[in-house]
Amino acid sequence: MESIGTWWMWAVFAAIVVTMLLVDLFAFGGGKQHRVSLKEAAGWSLAWVTVAMLFAAGLWWYLDGSAGRAFANEKTLAFVTGYLVEKSLAVDNVFVWMMIFSFFAVPLELQRRVLLYGIVGAIVLRTIMIFAGSWLISEFHWILYIFGAFLVVTGIKMAWFSEHDPDLEKNPLIRWIRQHYPITEKLEGERFFVMRDGVRMMTPLFLALVLVEISDVIFAVDSIPAIFAITTDPFIVLTSNLFAILGLRAMYFLLADMGDRFELLKYGLAAILVFIGTKMLIVDWIKIPVLVSLSVVATLLACSVFASLWYSARRAKLQA
């Protein structure tokens, strides 16, 4: 697998990830029950985006000095585009988390621990899947066509079924757990398991964690092929992907009270998947520049956000 990543670049990135996780755990209050305010979530969201852009700047500075300006521009632009794609697709994951917590009636102050475990699990899962995907693409180029077709179909399904929410009560894994393990009727703070009359019982918070981890797997299957349409360099793919994931918990709390204002966002995300999938399908005949991809993704995302805000404002006005 060809990559710009040297051993020390991987080491620096690993140190940044560990440091950010520790900051998220202690500074962002991941270790204690706490209700995150909108102001706090906005501040931390800005902080995570800033760290990602500083990394991009550092990457450009190093590559500019070692490989030339054109190469530095190409790789840094690929990182920024991949980061934006992953950040965009992660929004849909956020809405699924909202639905999961609503289903189990988990208040905001009890959601932090679940999301922290969910993000750590996503980091491990995506690291494994990205290296596996990079190896597959390097060995079997035609895998790109499968990824592309999968993204196009996924985008169409996302738009077609945008109004249909999954019935969590019918989730086979949750039903199996309910049948084989005693579960408390109500939440027990941030605890996943409690002892009752000598019996170890699971709390609904753990069921919420199970579904959060399942959603991470599902969205990784969608988002990882998408970033391979931007670049196949495992260093760029992994760094842009994980930087987007690290700020996901803060973004969740930022959007937690505004989910109903972005009803049309799924159509924009669906269009992004179809565009990226099409790009992968035609890669051997038509090469779409990274700058064009960045522009298209940013435009689709911005249009769907503004359309959602306009639609929600118009609906509120009609209902008033």
Side-chain angles (χ1 to χ4, degrees):
M1 295 181 289
E2 294 185 4
S3 174
I4 62 170
T6 61
W7 69 267
W8 66 265
M9 292 173 69
W10 286 108
V12 169
F13 173 64
I16 293 174
V17 170
V18 171
T19 301
M20 290 177 71
L21 283 174
L22 291 175
V23 169
D24 198 17
L25 177 61
F26 295 107
F28 194 37
K32 61 181 184 296
Q33 183 175 323
H34 169 62
R35 184 183 179 92
V36 180
S37 67
L38 183 62
K39 181 179 179 181
E40 184 181 1
W44 281 109
S45 294
L46 179 61
W48 299 138
V49 173
T50 301
V51 170
M53 293 303 101
L54 287 175
F55 180 85
L59 180 65
W60 181 89
W61 176 80
Y62 167 73
L63 293 177
D64 183 52
S66 61
R69 181 66 52 88
F71 188 78
N73 290 342
E74 176 189 351
K75 292 299 181 180
T76 305
L77 196 59
F79 171 86
V80 174
T81 305
Y83 176 78
L84 180 61
V85 168
E86 294 302 316
K87 203 73 170 175
S88 302
L89 296 179
V91 174
D92 202 34
N93 204 355
V94 165
F95 291 147
V96 171
W97 289 353
M98 291 180 188
M99 181 181 62
I100 292 171
F101 288 130
S102 175
F103 177 78
F104 288 106
V106 180
L108 279 173
E109 57 268 22
L110 297 181
Q111 296 173 9
R112 306 167 58 85
R113 187 183 181 199
V114 173
L115 294 180
L116 180 63
Y117 279 100
I119 288 173
V120 171
I123 289 174
V124 175
L125 172 70
R126 293 188 183 219
T127 300
I128 295 172
M129 292 180 68
I130 285 170
F131 279 114
S134 296
W135 178 82
L136 285 172
I137 291 173
S138 66
E139 295 294 321
F140 310 101
H141 177 73
W142 50 266
I143 288 288
L144 284 174
Y145 301 129
I146 296 178
F147 284 172
F150 174 77
L151 291 176
V152 170
V153 172
T154 301
I156 294 173
K157 287 178 61 178
M158 181 183 290
W160 190 264
F161 297 103
S162 61
E163 303 298 327
H164 300 274
D165 292 327
D167 187 352
L168 299 182
E169 195 65 55
K170 295 181 179 179
N171 182 281
L173 180 57
I174 295 300
R175 292 173 63 182
W176 185 90
I177 293 175
R178 289 186 185 277
Q179 293 170 2
H180 292 82
Y181 209 96
I183 301 172
T184 61
E185 294 183 359
K186 62 179 182 178
L187 297 168
E188 301 287 342
E190 289 191 327
R191 288 182 291 179
F192 293 137
F193 296 92
V194 295
M195 295 296 295
R196 292 286 185 270
D197 300 323
V199 178
R200 184 178 175 85
M201 301 186 70
M202 185 183 297
T203 71
L205 194 66
F206 186 78
L207 293 181
L209 174 62
V210 170
L211 287 180
V212 165
E213 296 290 1
I214 291 174
S215 73
D216 285 339
V217 174
I218 294 172
F219 283 99
V221 172
D222 288 343
S223 64
I224 289 178
I227 199 170
F228 279 122
I230 309 300
T231 177
T232 56
D233 186 317
F235 184 78
I236 300 296
V237 172
L238 184 63
T239 53
S240 59
N241 201 290
L242 294 197
F243 271 118
I245 292 298
L246 284 167
L248 190 52
R249 194 159 69 112
M251 185 173 71
Y252 168 82
F253 288 108
L254 180 64
L255 297 176
D257 293 327
M258 301 187 296
D260 57 345
R261 300 183 187 179
F262 297 97
E263 290 188 35
L264 304 181
L265 187 59
K266 280 193 175 184
Y267 294 102
L269 300 180
I272 289 173
L273 286 177
V274 171
F275 166 72
I276 293 174
T278 302
K279 179 183 176 181
M280 296 182 84
L281 289 173
I282 64 175
V283 66
D284 285 334
W285 299 277
I286 302 175
K287 295 188 180 297
I288 300 176
V290 177
L291 183 58
V292 173
S293 297
L294 177 60
S295 301
V296 171
V297 170
T299 300
L300 290 172
L301 183 62
C303 288
S304 60
V305 168
F306 285 122
S308 296
L309 294 175
W310 173 83
Y311 178 76
S312 61
R314 182 173 178 270
R315 185 180 60 180
K317 187 176 181 179
L318 291 174
Q319 293 176 347

